[in-house]
Amino acid sequence: MTDPIGIKTGTVVDRRPVSVGAAPSVEPVKTVASEPQAVESAAAELSQTMAAQPPVDSERVARIRKAVQEGRFPIYPSTIADRLLALKLEWNPNEQA
């Protein structure tokens, strides 16, 4: 059967594909009304957990500061410059293109 050229008012053309043979069974899409609420509650819980922690690990900063003062922490100016530029340009040197 061929579709007519142009649109006739009041007619609906069924454009679903015609299946040949037995079609595989397709499960209906399940919609869960509580799913967005579950995502929101998980996000709120994660937000509360992150807000409870300080944004900087002060103990680690203290250990690094002490190691720098004692000369046990290697400082490479070129590495620091590279990391600052990468931060400025939002570039990750470990990420492969």
Side-chain angles (χ1 to χ4, degrees):
M1 175 179 218
T2 59
D3 291 334
I5 298 176
I7 298 175
K8 294 181 183 178
T9 58
T11 61
V12 177
V13 179
D14 186 10
R15 295 184 185 263
R16 289 181 285 175
V18 177
S19 63
V20 178
S25 63
V26 177
E27 292 184 24
V29 177
K30 297 177 183 178
T31 57
V32 179
S34 64
E35 187 173 316
Q37 294 166 347
V39 171
E40 287 176 11
S41 66
E45 182 180 334
L46 179 61
S47 176
Q48 289 174 352
T49 302
M50 296 300 289
Q53 300 172 353
V56 177
D57 185 0
S58 58
E59 291 178 12
R60 182 170 183 237
V61 171
R63 286 194 312 266
I64 292 172
R65 180 176 286 144
K66 184 176 179 182
V68 168
Q69 289 173 350
E70 294 174 354
R72 296 183 293 116
F73 191 85
I75 298 176
Y76 302 108
S78 61
T79 303
I80 294 171
D82 288 343
R83 299 277 172 92
L84 286 172
L85 287 172
L87 181 65
K88 175 70 175 169
L89 300 174
E90 296 180 5
W91 176 72
N92 186 358
N94 298 327
E95 190 176 281
Q96 296 180 2

